[in-house]
Amino acid sequence: MIMMSSTMSSIKGPSSAQFNGSSLRIAIVHARWNKTVIDSLLAGTIDKLKACGVKDSNIVVQSVPGSFELPFACSKVIAGSRVQTATSSGDLLGLSFGDSSTSLPSNKELSAPTSTLANIPNAPFDAVVAIGVLIKGSTMHFEYICDSVSHALMKIQIDTGVPVIFGVLTALTEDQALERAGLGRGAEKGHNHGEDWGLAAVEMGVQSRRWAEGKFL
């Protein structure tokens, strides 16, 4: 009989792949419910984003009370980043949107160099990571929230075209949640899934840009 080593790595998780996130802008929206687990997941996500080259200034973190609020918040931060881009583009082109007395420049003046537009400081988000922790209790609350949040987050990324990474733990016990944040109570601390979400955000951000340009190699 062949015995498997206890130290053998798990078959779970994606195969390793490294992507350069230095040009990406990533948002993280996290719930505050179950804060101890959330804090560890958030730290793991940010650590991996930075390890992939994402700049501190391009990591935007927002919080909401609980996981049920995540879809609304993700939708708003995606829309808000596009407003920032439009405003920044206008500033770079010399437009003023707040003063109705200011006339628009001529068509020639509107033709800003591509290199200038590519360096807009407030670019749209390339990906959003939604982080929440749901732990089953004694009522159906857990099932309703898990179902509604997962479906809503999926819909947002399809509707907006911006990858939304599903960083919502759906644990049956507190120990399951702790282990998936690298905080296990026993000798085995578990694995911080936030690290996986950070890597996924960079990969999907890079791939989404490439696919949008019709590049599939």
PDB file of all heavy atoms in Angstrom, residues 107-148:
ATOM      1  N   ASN A 107     -11.483  71.830 -31.779  1.00  0.00           N
ATOM      2  CA  ASN A 107     -11.241  70.410 -32.009  1.00  0.00           C
ATOM      3  C   ASN A 107      -9.764  70.083 -32.007  1.00  0.00           C
ATOM      4  O   ASN A 107      -9.333  69.036 -31.556  1.00  0.00           O
ATOM      5  CB  ASN A 107     -11.855  69.983 -33.354  1.00  0.00           C
ATOM      6  CG  ASN A 107     -13.374  69.971 -33.282  1.00  0.00           C
ATOM      7  OD1 ASN A 107     -13.924  69.848 -32.200  1.00  0.00           O
ATOM      8  ND2 ASN A 107     -14.023  70.100 -34.421  1.00  0.00           N
ATOM      9  N   LYS A 108      -8.961  70.998 -32.521  1.00  0.00           N
ATOM     10  CA  LYS A 108      -7.524  70.757 -32.558  1.00  0.00           C
ATOM     11  C   LYS A 108      -6.956  70.645 -31.150  1.00  0.00           C
ATOM     12  O   LYS A 108      -6.120  69.816 -30.854  1.00  0.00           O
ATOM     13  CB  LYS A 108      -6.840  71.895 -33.318  1.00  0.00           C
ATOM     14  CG  LYS A 108      -5.331  71.704 -33.476  1.00  0.00           C
ATOM     15  CD  LYS A 108      -4.730  72.823 -34.305  1.00  0.00           C
ATOM     16  CE  LYS A 108      -3.232  72.620 -34.467  1.00  0.00           C
ATOM     17  NZ  LYS A 108      -2.609  73.695 -35.257  1.00  0.00           N
ATOM     18  N   GLU A 109      -7.464  71.500 -30.252  1.00  0.00           N
ATOM     19  CA  GLU A 109      -6.977  71.491 -28.874  1.00  0.00           C
ATOM     20  C   GLU A 109      -7.421  70.241 -28.121  1.00  0.00           C
ATOM     21  O   GLU A 109      -6.798  69.825 -27.155  1.00  0.00           O
ATOM     22  CB  GLU A 109      -7.473  72.741 -28.149  1.00  0.00           C
ATOM     23  CG  GLU A 109      -6.843  74.034 -28.653  1.00  0.00           C
ATOM     24  CD  GLU A 109      -7.518  75.248 -28.042  1.00  0.00           C
ATOM     25  OE1 GLU A 109      -8.758  75.283 -28.029  1.00  0.00           O
ATOM     26  OE2 GLU A 109      -6.810  76.133 -27.589  1.00  0.00           O
ATOM     27  N   LEU A 110      -8.528  69.634 -28.543  1.00  0.00           N
ATOM     28  CA  LEU A 110      -9.034  68.446 -27.868  1.00  0.00           C
ATOM     29  C   LEU A 110      -8.188  67.213 -28.158  1.00  0.00           C
ATOM     30  O   LEU A 110      -8.272  66.224 -27.460  1.00  0.00           O
ATOM     31  CB  LEU A 110     -10.473  68.164 -28.311  1.00  0.00           C
ATOM     32  CG  LEU A 110     -11.557  69.050 -27.695  1.00  0.00           C
ATOM     33  CD1 LEU A 110     -12.878  68.801 -28.387  1.00  0.00           C
ATOM     34  CD2 LEU A 110     -11.668  68.801 -26.201  1.00  0.00           C
ATOM     35  N   SER A 111      -7.383  67.270 -29.177  1.00  0.00           N
ATOM     36  CA  SER A 111      -6.615  66.098 -29.585  1.00  0.00           C
ATOM     37  C   SER A 111      -5.359  65.975 -28.749  1.00  0.00           C
ATOM     38  O   SER A 111      -4.269  66.390 -29.149  1.00  0.00           O
ATOM     39  CB  SER A 111      -6.236  66.191 -31.069  1.00  0.00           C
ATOM     40  OG  SER A 111      -7.405  66.271 -31.852  1.00  0.00           O
ATOM     41  N   ALA A 112      -5.515  65.431 -27.536  1.00  0.00           N
ATOM     42  CA  ALA A 112      -4.367  65.256 -26.652  1.00  0.00           C
ATOM     43  C   ALA A 112      -3.571  64.035 -27.083  1.00  0.00           C
ATOM     44  O   ALA A 112      -4.122  63.066 -27.571  1.00  0.00           O
ATOM     45  CB  ALA A 112      -4.833  65.083 -25.206  1.00  0.00           C
ATOM     46  N   PRO A 113      -2.254  64.053 -26.895  1.00  0.00           N
ATOM     47  CA  PRO A 113      -1.428  62.902 -27.252  1.00  0.00           C
ATOM     48  C   PRO A 113      -1.855  61.671 -26.482  1.00  0.00           C
ATOM     49  O   PRO A 113      -2.227  61.751 -25.312  1.00  0.00           O
ATOM     50  CB  PRO A 113      -0.007  63.340 -26.842  1.00  0.00           C
ATOM     51  CG  PRO A 113      -0.071  64.832 -26.776  1.00  0.00           C
ATOM     52  CD  PRO A 113      -1.462  65.158 -26.357  1.00  0.00           C
ATOM     53  N   THR A 114      -1.783  60.520 -27.119  1.00  0.00           N
ATOM     54  CA  THR A 114      -2.169  59.257 -26.476  1.00  0.00           C
ATOM     55  C   THR A 114      -1.353  59.013 -25.230  1.00  0.00           C
ATOM     56  O   THR A 114      -1.852  58.528 -24.221  1.00  0.00           O
ATOM     57  CB  THR A 114      -1.972  58.084 -27.454  1.00  0.00           C
ATOM     58  OG1 THR A 114      -2.742  58.336 -28.625  1.00  0.00           O
ATOM     59  CG2 THR A 114      -2.418  56.769 -26.828  1.00  0.00           C
ATOM     60  N   SER A 115      -0.069  59.347 -25.273  1.00  0.00           N
ATOM     61  CA  SER A 115       0.802  59.108 -24.132  1.00  0.00           C
ATOM     62  C   SER A 115       0.339  59.892 -22.914  1.00  0.00           C
ATOM     63  O   SER A 115       0.491  59.454 -21.778  1.00  0.00           O
ATOM     64  CB  SER A 115       2.247  59.480 -24.474  1.00  0.00           C
ATOM     65  OG  SER A 115       2.335  60.846 -24.837  1.00  0.00           O
ATOM     66  N   THR A 116      -0.220  61.072 -23.131  1.00  0.00           N
ATOM     67  CA  THR A 116      -0.709  61.870 -22.018  1.00  0.00           C
ATOM     68  C   THR A 116      -1.929  61.227 -21.392  1.00  0.00           C
ATOM     69  O   THR A 116      -2.040  61.103 -20.172  1.00  0.00           O
ATOM     70  CB  THR A 116      -1.077  63.292 -22.494  1.00  0.00           C
ATOM     71  OG1 THR A 116       0.079  63.895 -23.057  1.00  0.00           O
ATOM     72  CG2 THR A 116      -1.583  64.141 -21.340  1.00  0.00           C
ATOM     73  N   LEU A 117      -2.864  60.772 -22.228  1.00  0.00           N
ATOM     74  CA  LEU A 117      -4.081  60.153 -21.713  1.00  0.00           C
ATOM     75  C   LEU A 117      -3.774  58.852 -20.996  1.00  0.00           C
ATOM     76  O   LEU A 117      -4.469  58.469 -20.056  1.00  0.00           O
ATOM     77  CB  LEU A 117      -5.056  59.891 -22.869  1.00  0.00           C
ATOM     78  CG  LEU A 117      -5.624  61.141 -23.543  1.00  0.00           C
ATOM     79  CD1 LEU A 117      -6.509  60.743 -24.715  1.00  0.00           C
ATOM     80  CD2 LEU A 117      -6.408  61.979 -22.548  1.00  0.00           C
ATOM     81  N   ALA A 118      -2.727  58.153 -21.427  1.00  0.00           N
ATOM     82  CA  ALA A 118      -2.376  56.876 -20.810  1.00  0.00           C
ATOM     83  C   ALA A 118      -1.850  57.063 -19.399  1.00  0.00           C
ATOM     84  O   ALA A 118      -1.822  56.115 -18.618  1.00  0.00           O
ATOM     85  CB  ALA A 118      -1.334  56.161 -21.664  1.00  0.00           C
ATOM     86  N   ASN A 119      -1.430  58.290 -19.058  1.00  0.00           N
ATOM     87  CA  ASN A 119      -0.863  58.543 -17.741  1.00  0.00           C
ATOM     88  C   ASN A 119      -1.832  59.244 -16.798  1.00  0.00           C
ATOM     89  O   ASN A 119      -1.418  59.883 -15.832  1.00  0.00           O
ATOM     90  CB  ASN A 119       0.420  59.379 -17.885  1.00  0.00           C
ATOM     91  CG  ASN A 119       1.516  58.602 -18.578  1.00  0.00           C
ATOM     92  OD1 ASN A 119       1.671  57.417 -18.330  1.00  0.00           O
ATOM     93  ND2 ASN A 119       2.256  59.263 -19.448  1.00  0.00           N
ATOM     94  N   ILE A 120      -3.118  59.177 -17.097  1.00  0.00           N
ATOM     95  CA  ILE A 120      -4.116  59.761 -16.206  1.00  0.00           C
ATOM     96  C   ILE A 120      -3.994  59.117 -14.827  1.00  0.00           C
ATOM     97  O   ILE A 120      -4.015  57.895 -14.717  1.00  0.00           O
ATOM     98  CB  ILE A 120      -5.535  59.540 -16.757  1.00  0.00           C
ATOM     99  CG1 ILE A 120      -5.704  60.333 -18.059  1.00  0.00           C
ATOM    100  CG2 ILE A 120      -6.589  59.960 -15.753  1.00  0.00           C
ATOM    101  CD1 ILE A 120      -6.982  60.019 -18.801  1.00  0.00           C
ATOM    102  N   PRO A 121      -3.846  59.903 -13.752  1.00  0.00           N
ATOM    103  CA  PRO A 121      -3.588  59.332 -12.427  1.00  0.00           C
ATOM    104  C   PRO A 121      -4.756  58.544 -11.848  1.00  0.00           C
ATOM    105  O   PRO A 121      -4.556  57.645 -11.049  1.00  0.00           O
ATOM    106  CB  PRO A 121      -3.280  60.569 -11.565  1.00  0.00           C
ATOM    107  CG  PRO A 121      -3.944  61.707 -12.280  1.00  0.00           C
ATOM    108  CD  PRO A 121      -3.827  61.376 -13.737  1.00  0.00           C
ATOM    109  N   ASN A 122      -5.978  58.866 -12.210  1.00  0.00           N
ATOM    110  CA  ASN A 122      -7.143  58.188 -11.656  1.00  0.00           C
ATOM    111  C   ASN A 122      -7.801  57.313 -12.719  1.00  0.00           C
ATOM    112  O   ASN A 122      -8.900  57.581 -13.172  1.00  0.00           O
ATOM    113  CB  ASN A 122      -8.150  59.212 -11.115  1.00  0.00           C
ATOM    114  CG  ASN A 122      -7.593  59.971  -9.928  1.00  0.00           C
ATOM    115  OD1 ASN A 122      -6.957  59.385  -9.052  1.00  0.00           O
ATOM    116  ND2 ASN A 122      -7.808  61.267  -9.893  1.00  0.00           N
ATOM    117  N   ALA A 123      -7.102  56.265 -13.124  1.00  0.00           N
ATOM    118  CA  ALA A 123      -7.610  55.365 -14.159  1.00  0.00           C
ATOM    119  C   ALA A 123      -8.732  54.499 -13.589  1.00  0.00           C
ATOM    120  O   ALA A 123      -8.836  54.318 -12.378  1.00  0.00           O
ATOM    121  CB  ALA A 123      -6.479  54.484 -14.670  1.00  0.00           C
ATOM    122  N   PRO A 124      -9.597  53.965 -14.450  1.00  0.00           N
ATOM    123  CA  PRO A 124     -10.644  53.050 -13.965  1.00  0.00           C
ATOM    124  C   PRO A 124     -10.006  51.830 -13.307  1.00  0.00           C
ATOM    125  O   PRO A 124      -8.881  51.453 -13.639  1.00  0.00           O
ATOM    126  CB  PRO A 124     -11.394  52.657 -15.242  1.00  0.00           C
ATOM    127  CG  PRO A 124     -11.042  53.687 -16.253  1.00  0.00           C
ATOM    128  CD  PRO A 124      -9.664  54.151 -15.906  1.00  0.00           C
ATOM    129  N   PHE A 125     -10.719  51.210 -12.407  1.00  0.00           N
ATOM    130  CA  PHE A 125     -10.191  50.017 -11.756  1.00  0.00           C
ATOM    131  C   PHE A 125     -10.112  48.868 -12.752  1.00  0.00           C
ATOM    132  O   PHE A 125     -11.030  48.632 -13.530  1.00  0.00           O
ATOM    133  CB  PHE A 125     -11.061  49.627 -10.561  1.00  0.00           C
ATOM    134  CG  PHE A 125     -10.978  50.591  -9.418  1.00  0.00           C
ATOM    135  CD1 PHE A 125     -12.102  51.258  -8.961  1.00  0.00           C
ATOM    136  CD2 PHE A 125      -9.758  50.837  -8.796  1.00  0.00           C
ATOM    137  CE1 PHE A 125     -12.020  52.155  -7.912  1.00  0.00           C
ATOM    138  CE2 PHE A 125      -9.669  51.739  -7.746  1.00  0.00           C
ATOM    139  CZ  PHE A 125     -10.803  52.399  -7.301  1.00  0.00           C
ATOM    140  N   ASP A 126      -8.992  48.150 -12.711  1.00  0.00           N
ATOM    141  CA  ASP A 126      -8.817  46.981 -13.569  1.00  0.00           C
ATOM    142  C   ASP A 126      -9.444  45.736 -12.956  1.00  0.00           C
ATOM    143  O   ASP A 126      -9.760  44.783 -13.665  1.00  0.00           O
ATOM    144  CB  ASP A 126      -7.326  46.737 -13.809  1.00  0.00           C
ATOM    145  CG  ASP A 126      -6.698  47.861 -14.619  1.00  0.00           C
ATOM    146  OD1 ASP A 126      -6.981  47.939 -15.826  1.00  0.00           O
ATOM    147  OD2 ASP A 126      -5.938  48.661 -14.041  1.00  0.00           O
ATOM    148  N   ALA A 127      -9.626  45.733 -11.650  1.00  0.00           N
ATOM    149  CA  ALA A 127     -10.268  44.617 -10.953  1.00  0.00           C
ATOM    150  C   ALA A 127     -10.681  45.085  -9.568  1.00  0.00           C
ATOM    151  O   ALA A 127     -10.120  46.047  -9.033  1.00  0.00           O
ATOM    152  CB  ALA A 127      -9.334  43.413 -10.853  1.00  0.00           C
ATOM    153  N   VAL A 128     -11.656  44.402  -9.020  1.00  0.00           N
ATOM    154  CA  VAL A 128     -12.121  44.695  -7.665  1.00  0.00           C
ATOM    155  C   VAL A 128     -12.140  43.388  -6.880  1.00  0.00           C
ATOM    156  O   VAL A 128     -12.593  42.355  -7.390  1.00  0.00           O
ATOM    157  CB  VAL A 128     -13.537  45.307  -7.674  1.00  0.00           C
ATOM    158  CG1 VAL A 128     -14.026  45.548  -6.247  1.00  0.00           C
ATOM    159  CG2 VAL A 128     -13.558  46.605  -8.467  1.00  0.00           C
ATOM    160  N   VAL A 129     -11.646  43.438  -5.656  1.00  0.00           N
ATOM    161  CA  VAL A 129     -11.692  42.272  -4.770  1.00  0.00           C
ATOM    162  C   VAL A 129     -12.742  42.540  -3.694  1.00  0.00           C
ATOM    163  O   VAL A 129     -12.642  43.526  -2.955  1.00  0.00           O
ATOM    164  CB  VAL A 129     -10.329  42.004  -4.106  1.00  0.00           C
ATOM    165  CG1 VAL A 129     -10.393  40.722  -3.272  1.00  0.00           C
ATOM    166  CG2 VAL A 129      -9.221  41.906  -5.142  1.00  0.00           C
ATOM    167  N   ALA A 130     -13.747  41.681  -3.627  1.00  0.00           N
ATOM    168  CA  ALA A 130     -14.798  41.806  -2.610  1.00  0.00           C
ATOM    169  C   ALA A 130     -14.501  40.813  -1.488  1.00  0.00           C
ATOM    170  O   ALA A 130     -14.467  39.597  -1.728  1.00  0.00           O
ATOM    171  CB  ALA A 130     -16.164  41.523  -3.222  1.00  0.00           C
ATOM    172  N   ILE A 131     -14.282  41.321  -0.284  1.00  0.00           N
ATOM    173  CA  ILE A 131     -13.900  40.463   0.840  1.00  0.00           C
ATOM    174  C   ILE A 131     -14.975  40.493   1.926  1.00  0.00           C
ATOM    175  O   ILE A 131     -15.360  41.567   2.406  1.00  0.00           O
ATOM    176  CB  ILE A 131     -12.550  40.906   1.445  1.00  0.00           C
ATOM    177  CG1 ILE A 131     -11.445  40.816   0.390  1.00  0.00           C
ATOM    178  CG2 ILE A 131     -12.202  40.057   2.660  1.00  0.00           C
ATOM    179  CD1 ILE A 131     -10.087  41.293   0.889  1.00  0.00           C
ATOM    180  N   GLY A 132     -15.442  39.317   2.292  1.00  0.00           N
ATOM    181  CA  GLY A 132     -16.423  39.200   3.362  1.00  0.00           C
ATOM    182  C   GLY A 132     -16.269  37.861   4.054  1.00  0.00           C
ATOM    183  O   GLY A 132     -15.646  36.938   3.526  1.00  0.00           O
ATOM    184  N   VAL A 133     -16.844  37.750   5.232  1.00  0.00           N
ATOM    185  CA  VAL A 133     -16.794  36.493   5.982  1.00  0.00           C
ATOM    186  C   VAL A 133     -18.182  36.183   6.515  1.00  0.00           C
ATOM    187  O   VAL A 133     -18.732  36.930   7.325  1.00  0.00           O
ATOM    188  CB  VAL A 133     -15.786  36.573   7.158  1.00  0.00           C
ATOM    189  CG1 VAL A 133     -15.814  35.276   7.960  1.00  0.00           C
ATOM    190  CG2 VAL A 133     -14.381  36.853   6.645  1.00  0.00           C
ATOM    191  N   LEU A 134     -18.734  35.078   6.037  1.00  0.00           N
ATOM    192  CA  LEU A 134     -20.046  34.620   6.486  1.00  0.00           C
ATOM    193  C   LEU A 134     -19.870  33.302   7.237  1.00  0.00           C
ATOM    194  O   LEU A 134     -19.245  32.370   6.714  1.00  0.00           O
ATOM    195  CB  LEU A 134     -20.986  34.427   5.298  1.00  0.00           C
ATOM    196  CG  LEU A 134     -21.330  35.707   4.525  1.00  0.00           C
ATOM    197  CD1 LEU A 134     -21.967  35.360   3.189  1.00  0.00           C
ATOM    198  CD2 LEU A 134     -22.263  36.584   5.347  1.00  0.00           C
ATOM    199  N   ILE A 135     -20.391  33.240   8.450  1.00  0.00           N
ATOM    200  CA  ILE A 135     -20.287  32.033   9.269  1.00  0.00           C
ATOM    201  C   ILE A 135     -21.707  31.582   9.631  1.00  0.00           C
ATOM    202  O   ILE A 135     -22.497  32.361  10.154  1.00  0.00           O
ATOM    203  CB  ILE A 135     -19.468  32.285  10.544  1.00  0.00           C
ATOM    204  CG1 ILE A 135     -18.066  32.792  10.172  1.00  0.00           C
ATOM    205  CG2 ILE A 135     -19.365  31.010  11.375  1.00  0.00           C
ATOM    206  CD1 ILE A 135     -17.214  33.218  11.367  1.00  0.00           C
ATOM    207  N   LYS A 136     -21.994  30.338   9.337  1.00  0.00           N
ATOM    208  CA  LYS A 136     -23.350  29.819   9.529  1.00  0.00           C
ATOM    209  C   LYS A 136     -23.783  29.877  10.985  1.00  0.00           C
ATOM    210  O   LYS A 136     -23.047  29.497  11.889  1.00  0.00           O
ATOM    211  CB  LYS A 136     -23.446  28.382   9.021  1.00  0.00           C
ATOM    212  CG  LYS A 136     -24.857  27.817   9.086  1.00  0.00           C
ATOM    213  CD  LYS A 136     -24.958  26.489   8.381  1.00  0.00           C
ATOM    214  CE  LYS A 136     -26.336  25.873   8.552  1.00  0.00           C
ATOM    215  NZ  LYS A 136     -27.432  26.772   8.112  1.00  0.00           N
ATOM    216  N   GLY A 137     -25.007  30.364  11.196  1.00  0.00           N
ATOM    217  CA  GLY A 137     -25.593  30.390  12.526  1.00  0.00           C
ATOM    218  C   GLY A 137     -26.739  29.396  12.617  1.00  0.00           C
ATOM    219  O   GLY A 137     -26.760  28.385  11.915  1.00  0.00           O
ATOM    220  N   SER A 138     -27.721  29.710  13.434  1.00  0.00           N
ATOM    221  CA  SER A 138     -28.818  28.774  13.679  1.00  0.00           C
ATOM    222  C   SER A 138     -30.053  29.071  12.832  1.00  0.00           C
ATOM    223  O   SER A 138     -31.066  28.392  12.974  1.00  0.00           O
ATOM    224  CB  SER A 138     -29.193  28.814  15.163  1.00  0.00           C
ATOM    225  OG  SER A 138     -29.546  30.136  15.551  1.00  0.00           O
ATOM    226  N   THR A 139     -29.973  30.090  11.963  1.00  0.00           N
ATOM    227  CA  THR A 139     -31.125  30.428  11.124  1.00  0.00           C
ATOM    228  C   THR A 139     -30.742  30.338   9.649  1.00  0.00           C
ATOM    229  O   THR A 139     -29.604  30.042   9.302  1.00  0.00           O
ATOM    230  CB  THR A 139     -31.631  31.858  11.420  1.00  0.00           C
ATOM    231  OG1 THR A 139     -30.658  32.807  10.935  1.00  0.00           O
ATOM    232  CG2 THR A 139     -31.841  32.061  12.916  1.00  0.00           C
ATOM    233  N   MET A 140     -31.687  30.652   8.775  1.00  0.00           N
ATOM    234  CA  MET A 140     -31.452  30.607   7.333  1.00  0.00           C
ATOM    235  C   MET A 140     -30.741  31.858   6.812  1.00  0.00           C
ATOM    236  O   MET A 140     -30.476  31.972   5.616  1.00  0.00           O
ATOM    237  CB  MET A 140     -32.792  30.444   6.599  1.00  0.00           C
ATOM    238  CG  MET A 140     -33.415  29.074   6.757  1.00  0.00           C
ATOM    239  SD  MET A 140     -32.456  27.795   5.922  1.00  0.00           S
ATOM    240  CE  MET A 140     -32.716  28.260   4.201  1.00  0.00           C
ATOM    241  N   HIS A 141     -30.433  32.789   7.680  1.00  0.00           N
ATOM    242  CA  HIS A 141     -29.773  34.041   7.288  1.00  0.00           C
ATOM    243  C   HIS A 141     -28.532  33.771   6.438  1.00  0.00           C
ATOM    244  O   HIS A 141     -28.295  34.421   5.414  1.00  0.00           O
ATOM    245  CB  HIS A 141     -29.406  34.817   8.553  1.00  0.00           C
ATOM    246  CG  HIS A 141     -28.738  36.128   8.293  1.00  0.00           C
ATOM    247  ND1 HIS A 141     -27.364  36.267   8.297  1.00  0.00           N
ATOM    248  CD2 HIS A 141     -29.248  37.359   8.039  1.00  0.00           C
ATOM    249  CE1 HIS A 141     -27.048  37.536   8.056  1.00  0.00           C
ATOM    250  NE2 HIS A 141     -28.161  38.212   7.893  1.00  0.00           N
ATOM    251  N   PHE A 142     -27.725  32.808   6.864  1.00  0.00           N
ATOM    252  CA  PHE A 142     -26.483  32.457   6.181  1.00  0.00           C
ATOM    253  C   PHE A 142     -26.740  32.082   4.722  1.00  0.00           C
ATOM    254  O   PHE A 142     -26.084  32.593   3.810  1.00  0.00           O
ATOM    255  CB  PHE A 142     -25.834  31.287   6.927  1.00  0.00           C
ATOM    256  CG  PHE A 142     -24.624  30.693   6.258  1.00  0.00           C
ATOM    257  CD1 PHE A 142     -23.378  31.285   6.365  1.00  0.00           C
ATOM    258  CD2 PHE A 142     -24.728  29.499   5.542  1.00  0.00           C
ATOM    259  CE1 PHE A 142     -22.261  30.720   5.770  1.00  0.00           C
ATOM    260  CE2 PHE A 142     -23.621  28.929   4.947  1.00  0.00           C
ATOM    261  CZ  PHE A 142     -22.383  29.533   5.062  1.00  0.00           C
ATOM    262  N   GLU A 143     -27.710  31.204   4.491  1.00  0.00           N
ATOM    263  CA  GLU A 143     -27.993  30.741   3.133  1.00  0.00           C
ATOM    264  C   GLU A 143     -28.482  31.874   2.238  1.00  0.00           C
ATOM    265  O   GLU A 143     -28.071  31.983   1.073  1.00  0.00           O
ATOM    266  CB  GLU A 143     -29.026  29.615   3.161  1.00  0.00           C
ATOM    267  CG  GLU A 143     -28.480  28.262   3.592  1.00  0.00           C
ATOM    268  CD  GLU A 143     -28.348  28.123   5.106  1.00  0.00           C
ATOM    269  OE1 GLU A 143     -28.702  29.084   5.836  1.00  0.00           O
ATOM    270  OE2 GLU A 143     -27.887  27.061   5.553  1.00  0.00           O
ATOM    271  N   TYR A 144     -29.345  32.716   2.772  1.00  0.00           N
ATOM    272  CA  TYR A 144     -29.881  33.819   1.969  1.00  0.00           C
ATOM    273  C   TYR A 144     -28.781  34.796   1.564  1.00  0.00           C
ATOM    274  O   TYR A 144     -28.721  35.243   0.415  1.00  0.00           O
ATOM    275  CB  TYR A 144     -30.967  34.572   2.746  1.00  0.00           C
ATOM    276  CG  TYR A 144     -32.270  33.806   2.865  1.00  0.00           C
ATOM    277  CD1 TYR A 144     -32.897  33.652   4.106  1.00  0.00           C
ATOM    278  CD2 TYR A 144     -32.892  33.251   1.749  1.00  0.00           C
ATOM    279  CE1 TYR A 144     -34.090  32.954   4.219  1.00  0.00           C
ATOM    280  CE2 TYR A 144     -34.083  32.551   1.858  1.00  0.00           C
ATOM    281  CZ  TYR A 144     -34.679  32.398   3.097  1.00  0.00           C
ATOM    282  OH  TYR A 144     -35.858  31.710   3.208  1.00  0.00           O
ATOM    283  N   ILE A 145     -27.918  35.146   2.507  1.00  0.00           N
ATOM    284  CA  ILE A 145     -26.854  36.110   2.215  1.00  0.00           C
ATOM    285  C   ILE A 145     -25.837  35.521   1.238  1.00  0.00           C
ATOM    286  O   ILE A 145     -25.435  36.181   0.267  1.00  0.00           O
ATOM    287  CB  ILE A 145     -26.144  36.568   3.511  1.00  0.00           C
ATOM    288  CG1 ILE A 145     -27.138  37.214   4.468  1.00  0.00           C
ATOM    289  CG2 ILE A 145     -25.015  37.550   3.175  1.00  0.00           C
ATOM    290  CD1 ILE A 145     -27.821  38.434   3.920  1.00  0.00           C
ATOM    291  N   CYS A 146     -25.418  34.284   1.466  1.00  0.00           N
ATOM    292  CA  CYS A 146     -24.454  33.648   0.559  1.00  0.00           C
ATOM    293  C   CYS A 146     -24.969  33.643  -0.868  1.00  0.00           C
ATOM    294  O   CYS A 146     -24.233  33.995  -1.809  1.00  0.00           O
ATOM    295  CB  CYS A 146     -24.188  32.203   0.998  1.00  0.00           C
ATOM    296  SG  CYS A 146     -23.239  32.024   2.503  1.00  0.00           S
ATOM    297  N   ASP A 147     -26.208  33.247  -1.035  1.00  0.00           N
ATOM    298  CA  ASP A 147     -26.781  33.124  -2.373  1.00  0.00           C
ATOM    299  C   ASP A 147     -26.912  34.484  -3.053  1.00  0.00           C
ATOM    300  O   ASP A 147     -26.490  34.664  -4.202  1.00  0.00           O
ATOM    301  CB  ASP A 147     -28.156  32.451  -2.283  1.00  0.00           C
ATOM    302  CG  ASP A 147     -28.756  32.182  -3.654  1.00  0.00           C
ATOM    303  OD1 ASP A 147     -28.207  31.352  -4.391  1.00  0.00           O
ATOM    304  OD2 ASP A 147     -29.776  32.811  -3.983  1.00  0.00           O
ATOM    305  N   SER A 148     -27.456  35.447  -2.332  1.00  0.00           N
ATOM    306  CA  SER A 148     -27.697  36.756  -2.952  1.00  0.00           C
ATOM    307  C   SER A 148     -26.399  37.485  -3.267  1.00  0.00           C
ATOM    308  O   SER A 148     -26.257  38.097  -4.342  1.00  0.00           O
ATOM    309  CB  SER A 148     -28.583  37.624  -2.039  1.00  0.00           C
ATOM    310  OG  SER A 148     -27.975  37.840  -0.789  1.00  0.00           O
TER     311      SER A 148
END
